[in-house]
Amino acid sequence: MKCIYFLLMIYKKDGCLYEHIRWGEAFVIVYSVNDRHSFREARELLGQLSKLKLPSYYTSLLLGNKRDLDHCRQICVDDGHELSLQYGCQFYEVSAAENFAGVSLAFQSLLREAKSVQLLKSLPIRRKLGVNSVSKVLGNIFGKNSKGDRKKRPSLSI
Ligand SMILES: Nc1nc2c(ncn2[C@@H]2O[C@H](COP(=O)(O)OP(=O)(O)OP(=O)(O)O)[C@@H](O)[C@H]2O)c(=O)[nH]1
């Protein structure tokens, strides 16, 4: 099976943002937990992402960085969770300065999901699932319950 995984790290807007979003299949959106402005930007980017990518399925990860700076935290973990639920992305809080393991686990998790999506997309046409079915399958994998309650996806704070 021939698979190519694209990973794009969007942090600051550049002139080619829309171009990147068009070809990307997996996205990492990073904000700093001690910077309200970066969280606003993350929300904006997630909105643009869903506008440009839907109805195709894509994989995204919302990453709250600098969690070691708890004393000057401006964004609580629930706000991050809430935003990730709104856009159906994975969510982790990490500290790149303290420990790379959390960042590494978050990326591995994103790639695992991207790989599952690739696998579903590669199914023969007749067996191919629609976007809703793909979401349902991923919901089952990541713990959404059948009644559609907005259960938090697993997340990690290291
Ligand atoms: N305390 C702390 N500092 C961090 C963390 N990650 C990055 N930094 C520091 O934040 C500063 C900016 O990091 P960069 O990698 O340059 O990121 P940037 O996007 O260019 O800058 P910022 O918008 O300031 O975050 C540097 O001094 C980093 O060492 C973290 O998890 N915790």
Side-chain angles (χ1 to χ4, degrees):
M1 186 176 59
K2 213 166 114 188
C3 283
I4 300 174
Y5 302 111
F6 293 107
L7 184 69
L8 169 65
M9 190 140 184
I10 303 172
Y11 187 64
K12 299 243 163 87
K13 292 178 193 176
D14 64 25
C16 307
L17 179 69
Y18 293 99
E19 200 49 44
H20 289 314
I21 289 180
R22 259 216 314 272
W23 63 255
E25 291 183 6
F27 301 87
V28 181
I29 292 93
V30 184
Y31 67 92
S32 300
V33 301
N34 66 336
D35 180 355
R36 199 171 287 115
H37 176 70
S38 70
F39 189 68
R40 255 201 312 274
E41 271 202 333
R43 185 188 296 281
E44 212 181 283
L45 280 169
L46 283 168
Q48 289 176 353
L49 204 51
S50 70
K51 248 191 246 161
L52 286 166
K53 297 300 281 186
L54 288 175
S56 325
Y57 196 86
Y58 60 94
T59 311
S60 55
L61 162 67
L62 178 65
L63 209 53
N65 189 30
K66 304 191 183 180
R67 72 176 298 270
D68 55 295
L69 301 180
D70 216 29
H71 56 282
C72 53
R73 183 186 273 274
Q74 295 187 341
I75 305 298
C76 66
V77 72
D78 280 350
D79 288 343
H81 262 307
E82 198 51 48
L83 186 59
S84 70
L85 285 170
Q86 191 181 338
Y87 288 100
C89 49
Q90 299 187 23
F91 172 64
Y92 294 85
E93 271 200 1
V94 295
S95 167
E98 270 189 343
N99 190 344
F100 73 88
V103 179
S104 168
L105 284 171
F107 272 74
Q108 282 171 32
S109 171
L110 177 79
L111 289 174
R112 252 197 318 275
E113 183 174 336
K115 203 172 162 184
S116 306
V117 170
Q118 282 290 328
L119 208 64
L120 288 172
K121 279 184 178 171
S122 70
L123 289 174
I125 286 291
R126 241 180 316 148
R127 294 174 53 210
K128 218 172 232 178
L129 303 170
V131 172
N132 287 342
S133 309
V134 173
S135 305
K136 213 183 270 175
V137 171
L138 292 170
N140 288 336
I141 295 170
F142 289 101
K144 245 184 187 169
N145 69 22
S146 56
K147 286 181 184 136
D149 289 350
R150 297 200 315 159
K151 191 178 171 187
K152 286 175 182 175
R153 299 177 80 170
S155 63
L156 174 79
S157 289
I158 291 187

